[in-house]
Amino acid sequence: MTEAQAALDNQRKSIVNEMIMTERKYCQDLEIFQSYATAVLEADFLAEDTPVYRLLSCVEDMLSFQRNLLVLFESNWGMPWEEQRWGVPLLDTEDQFKACYGRYAWEYPAASKTVIDDEQTLIALNYILNAKSELSAFIAKPVSRGCKYPLLFDCLVKVSFGHPYLEEFKAAAQAARRIADAICESSRLAENEWTAEMLRSRVLDWKGHHTEDFGKLLLDDVFIVTKSEIDREYHTFLFENILLYCKEVETDGAGNILQAAPKPRPKSKSILAKAPVARRNPRLLLKGRILTKNVAGTDTNSPAPELILTSRPLAQPLQFQRATSIRSVFGGK
């Protein structure tokens, strides 16, 4: 064996070992998570319609699936390298993988955001998982693991030149990407739905608008909105039928406005920097709206990452800095 072949063989062994060892560790973590989920569900600590309860009810099926996948992986690990068919386990279980993890990913956004509200209720089970310091990390593990398989299989493909089942490895890498994409898409859609639901109570005055007429939420983020050469920072919500831009405000317990909420500032001078939210779900003032049917045109040719919308009722166009994600919705490139 040449030095180059020996180095490639060591890389292959390292990747295969990482796949097996991390899979075992993940299954061990899921077993702990399942013990916790069982204790929570049997103790009736949470109402059945709460996000955390719904998420925990998914863990048992996920653990059962993952144990079977680990058995399939380990059966390959004990065979000679030329006979190892690492692609088969993922190819044979792709649909089951998507269904199992898709359900969990759908519950994940709301559960991860509201678990802090259930800390005091769950403190009695801190002997299994600490509600304050450990639970959030365990909630995130399945989504994180599900999105790691493409990297593992891509690495395996790179060191498997000439392997009899290389095409299976490549097909499994594609399947892993489809699985990860399905997990991310399920989570994205659920997060948009949760954000839209929260928005109904966050806006102080809807000014006669009916949220049921907005359609699905497609995107929300903080943008610099320029109108008549004046820059303002707004939290913008793009629905299928309407674009809303809102201003964050501080309120007292009765919902009265105290003062404008501190403007979230980017960590760097770049307008591409994600602006951190000043506090959790602050109340909003509706400052403007554009019906998508009234958008007359867009201009995405600016050298800066911005989008300019021209709508029929407006005399001046609106300019959205850092609006790359909005472009596709309005036909921009």
Side-chain angles (χ1 to χ4, degrees):
M1 182 182 293
T2 66
E3 186 175 335
Q5 289 174 329
L8 189 65
D9 187 58
N10 287 334
Q11 283 184 317
R12 171 183 59 77
K13 289 179 180 179
S14 176
I15 292 169
V16 170
N17 286 342
E18 180 183 0
M19 184 178 294
I20 290 294
M21 294 302 132
T22 57
E23 194 71 18
R24 286 175 175 174
K25 178 61 168 64
Y26 175 52
C27 281
Q28 291 170 1
D29 288 342
L30 277 185
E31 288 171 355
I32 296 172
F33 197 21
Q34 170 57 17
S35 297
Y36 184 83
T38 300
V40 172
L41 301 181
E42 290 181 351
D44 292 328
F45 283 152
L46 303 174
E48 293 184 7
D49 60 347
T50 58
V52 175
Y53 184 99
R54 294 197 302 268
L55 178 132
L56 293 177
S57 67
C58 301
V59 178
E60 183 177 4
D61 289 344
M62 196 158 48
L63 174 59
S64 176
F65 170 82
Q66 211 64 44
R67 281 172 172 165
N68 291 334
L69 188 63
L70 177 59
V71 170
L72 294 174
F73 280 154
E74 289 185 327
S75 65
N76 275 283
W77 199 34
M79 300 174 69
W81 167 241
E82 295 77 12
E83 299 178 22
Q84 292 179 12
R85 303 182 65 177
W86 290 98
V88 172
L90 219 59
L91 293 172
D92 286 350
T93 62
E94 179 180 354
D95 290 341
Q96 186 182 357
F97 207 139
K98 288 178 181 176
C100 182
Y101 275 73
R103 189 163 71 97
Y104 185 92
W106 179 266
E107 303 296 347
Y108 171 72
S112 63
K113 289 180 173 63
T114 60
V115 66
I116 190 173
D117 298 329
D118 299 318
E119 278 183 9
Q120 292 304 311
T121 304
L122 299 172
I123 198 171
L125 297 175
N126 277 2
Y127 67 94
I128 303 176
L129 285 177
N130 189 290
K132 186 174 184 178
S133 61
E134 295 179 305
L135 182 54
S136 293
F138 271 80
I139 285 175
K141 283 179 186 291
V143 174
S144 176
R145 181 63 184 180
C147 292
K148 190 175 181 179
Y149 289 105
L151 176 61
L152 291 172
F153 275 90
D154 282 344
C155 290
L156 186 62
V157 168
K158 290 178 181 178
V159 298
S160 301
F161 179 78
H163 193 281
Y165 297 107
L166 177 59
E167 292 306 313
E168 278 185 0
F169 294 178
K170 292 179 179 179
Q174 292 292 335
R177 276 188 280 277
R178 290 192 296 270
I179 291 168
D181 288 345
I183 292 172
C184 292
E185 180 64 5
S186 180
S187 181
R188 185 190 69 82
L189 292 174
E191 181 158 16
N192 283 353
E193 184 174 285
W194 184 85
T195 300
E197 182 64 29
M198 293 299 101
L199 185 64
R200 292 183 173 89
S201 59
R202 289 181 64 191
V203 174
L204 293 170
D205 181 5
W206 279 107
K207 301 180 180 179
H209 296 294
H210 300 286
T211 57
E212 60 268 21
D213 298 330
F214 293 171
K216 292 181 180 179
L217 179 66
L218 305 177
L219 171 74
D220 83 284
D221 211 337
V222 176
F223 294 101
I224 304 298
V225 180
T226 304
K227 180 181 179 183
S228 302
E229 299 184 353
I230 299 176
D231 291 347
R232 296 180 177 88
E233 194 166 76
Y234 289 133
H235 197 149
T236 305
F237 300 86
L238 176 62
F239 290 84
E240 289 176 319
N241 301 323
I242 195 169
L243 174 67
L244 307 174
Y245 39 104
C246 304
K247 179 180 178 181
E248 296 181 356
V249 294
E250 295 282 357
T251 58
D252 60 19
N256 300 311
I257 299 175
L258 297 176
Q259 61 182 18
K263 289 186 177 181
R265 295 296 181 184
K267 294 181 180 179
S268 70
K269 293 182 179 180
S270 171
I271 58 176
L272 290 174
K274 182 79 171 181
V277 178
R279 67 181 181 87
R280 189 175 178 229
N281 295 330
R283 301 301 294 274
L284 299 170
L285 282 179
L286 182 60
K287 302 299 290 185
R289 58 101 179 108
I290 301 174
L291 297 176
T292 56
K293 67 180 180 181
N294 288 333
V295 174
T298 62
D299 181 2
T300 60
N301 295 320
S302 170
E306 59 190 25
L307 171 69
I308 300 176
L309 301 180
T310 305
S311 62
R312 295 182 182 88
L314 291 174
Q316 297 291 332
L318 285 179
Q319 180 176 332
F320 290 81
Q321 295 183 17
R322 203 171 62 80
T324 306
S325 300
I326 294 182
R327 294 181 181 181
S328 61
V329 179
F330 289 107
K333 298 180 180 179

